[in-house]
Amino acid sequence: MRIQRILTRIDTRCFERPPRNPRSTWNEKHSFLVFVVADDGQVGVGEAWCEATSPRTLATFLDADLAPLFVGAHIQDAQRLWHVAFDRTRVSAKPGLALCVLGAVETALWDLAARTYGLPLYRLLGSCMDRVFAYASGGLYRDGMALAELANEMAGYVAQGFRAVKMKVAGVSLAEDVTRVRMVREAIGPDVRLMVDAVYMLDEPAAMRMARAFEPFDITFLEAPLAPGNLPGLRRLTSRSPVPIAGNEVAFGLDAFRDLIVEGGVDVVHLDVNQCGGIAESRRIAALAAAFHRSVSYHCATSAVCFAANLHAAASVPNVDSIEWHMVHRMLFDRVPRDHFRLHEGYVLLPEKPGLGIDINPDTLSPVLA
């Protein structure tokens, strides 16, 4: 089976009440999808992270620089093609962009391969489990949002069956965030995991003050407290913090995660198939983390395609701790059956349909390049 063509499509969601984290406010959010069409008509799908990047930039880069390396090749050559394409961009100003886009193409090829064998992707990869512990991700800031509304939101996720939740911090004063975290802990009870995400907004002293202030609330991990490049500060923070430290889903490629673990010393390695370089690269990163006795947690903050890709990858690695199930950024979830992603006792069960298990017709989405 050969690759006939590669298509890019976009899905956009607009928000009536724009949510925000400490860094960004979303009036709208894009999901950038890559479809690989085989010569027998079968289609695989992947997704690339396009936060703070124009979808047109990603599409142009893929169409002009990467797609010619793939079109006409066998889908079974995906790993060779990935390495050839990345090697051509390594000595340039765009290796991160390349890994992001290559990951989407490679995910689509894995989807195609698994469909060909009639297997769900996690089984083709070599499954370690048939369910992954999931945390409900929400707790964003909104103008005029009362503390009671936040507490009810997070308690509502527990009522849906989640046994872990994550909320944003570092968007208001520390005193205000302490109140927010306290109210959420009281609302969800003592037996539910609580994670907090600072979105790289703090300096080292502020992060340490936050970690100490949050210690009484039994925080599972404080995610992304420092700027991504501050690995020496991250190591000092992790070594002294009373709360486990997680990061950095914005890292790309195996080398960056090696530095994150060795120089940054994080307790939990947080990664995303949509950003790190794809399915296979995420598995290499997970294996690297395992060599340092670290668990991995898979990030997801866009569409059902992103969630499916991270879910299948997560189920194929033995040291996975959890996967993020975003409650605010939920694009294209209306394109999958209601029971496709099922939650059972805090774990999301792996769907058994072939490939990623998601059938989206590219013709029903908007083209990026006219």
Side-chain angles (χ1 to χ4, degrees):
M1 185 187 299
R2 292 184 179 272
I3 301 167
Q4 184 180 79
R5 55 186 175 141
I6 298 176
L7 308 173
T8 56
R9 296 290 186 267
I10 189 171
D11 182 63
T12 300
R13 178 184 176 187
C14 299
F15 294 93
E16 291 183 7
R17 292 182 65 195
R20 64 179 175 89
N21 65 27
R23 184 173 294 276
S24 305
T25 298
W26 291 277
N27 294 300
E28 64 178 22
K29 191 173 181 71
H30 303 298
S31 180
F32 180 91
L33 301 182
V34 174
F35 293 89
V36 175
V37 182
D39 56 7
D40 68 350
Q42 292 194 71
V43 180
V45 64
E47 184 174 354
W49 179 249
C50 66
E51 185 72 15
T53 303
S54 165
R56 191 172 183 85
T57 298
L58 296 179
T60 300
F61 176 47
L62 172 57
D63 188 58
D65 293 353
L66 298 181
L69 301 175
F70 285 85
V71 172
H74 286 281
I75 67 166
Q76 291 88 347
D77 290 341
Q79 293 311 293
R80 178 183 65 80
L81 295 168
W82 185 98
H83 284 283
V84 167
F86 181 55
D87 190 60
R88 287 187 58 173
T89 62
R90 188 187 296 269
V91 185
S92 72
K94 54 191 178 186
L97 184 66
L99 281 168
C100 177
V101 176
L102 277 173
V105 176
E106 186 243 28
T107 297
L109 289 171
W110 275 113
D111 185 26
L112 265 177
R115 288 170 183 267
T116 300
Y117 287 103
L119 293 171
L121 178 55
Y122 81 102
R123 293 199 183 277
L124 181 65
L125 294 170
S127 60
C128 288
M129 58 202 72
D130 64 1
R131 63 200 63 199
V132 179
F133 188 77
Y135 63 86
S137 186
L140 276 68
Y141 299 96
R142 287 187 177 89
D143 291 341
M145 186 179 194
L147 288 175
E149 185 179 352
L150 170 65
N152 290 337
E153 174 195 343
M154 306 307 278
Y157 302 145
V158 177
Q160 293 176 34
F162 287 96
R163 304 302 301 161
V165 298
K166 188 175 82 176
M167 61 183 289
K168 292 295 185 284
V169 294
V172 292
S173 70
L174 179 57
E176 291 175 277
D177 267 337
V178 168
T179 301
R180 295 172 71 251
V181 171
R182 179 188 296 114
M183 289 195 67
V184 169
R185 171 52 76 194
E186 292 172 353
I188 65 176
D191 300 325
V192 175
R193 291 197 209 176
L194 176 57
M195 295 88 151
V196 296
D197 181 4
V199 199
Y200 312 100
M201 288 297 292
L202 304 172
D203 60 21
E204 192 177 339
M208 181 57 66
R209 288 193 296 271
M210 176 175 282
R212 288 171 175 162
F214 288 172
E215 182 182 10
F217 308 117
D218 189 20
I219 302 300
T220 298
F221 59 66
L222 166 57
E223 178 186 338
L226 305 183
N230 187 5
L231 298 183
L234 192 61
R235 171 166 286 281
R236 289 190 295 269
L237 174 66
T238 303
S239 67
R240 298 165 53 213
S241 171
V243 172
I245 302 299
N248 286 333
E249 86 272 8
V250 297
F252 53 85
L254 190 63
D255 289 354
F257 279 91
R258 176 203 60 213
D259 294 344
L260 178 68
I261 296 168
V262 174
E263 299 179 25
V266 291
D267 297 303
V268 179
V269 177
H270 209 190
L271 71 164
D272 188 333
V273 166
N274 281 19
Q275 299 180 62
C276 74
I279 298 283
E281 190 77 340
S282 83
R283 285 160 51 83
R284 289 187 283 268
I285 291 163
L288 175 68
F292 287 88
H293 302 279
R294 301 295 202 276
S295 62
V296 296
S297 180
Y298 277 77
H299 168 268
C300 177
T302 49
S303 80
V305 175
C306 171
F307 184 70
N310 281 286
L311 178 62
H312 283 273
S316 74
V317 299
N319 56 324
V320 64
D321 170 80
S322 54
I323 185 170
E324 179 174 26
W325 192 334
H326 215 291
M327 299 290 105
V328 179
H329 302 306
R330 293 178 53 80
M331 304 172 72
L332 298 173
F333 276 81
D334 59 342
R335 300 292 188 100
V336 300
R338 185 179 298 274
D339 63 346
H340 186 71
F341 301 118
R342 291 189 294 126
L343 195 66
H344 179 69
E345 296 181 350
Y347 290 77
V348 57
L349 306 182
L350 269 291
E352 293 298 328
K353 292 183 62 178
L356 293 179
I358 295 178
D359 296 311
I360 298 175
N361 184 342
D363 293 337
T364 64
L365 299 174
S366 301
V368 183
L369 297 176

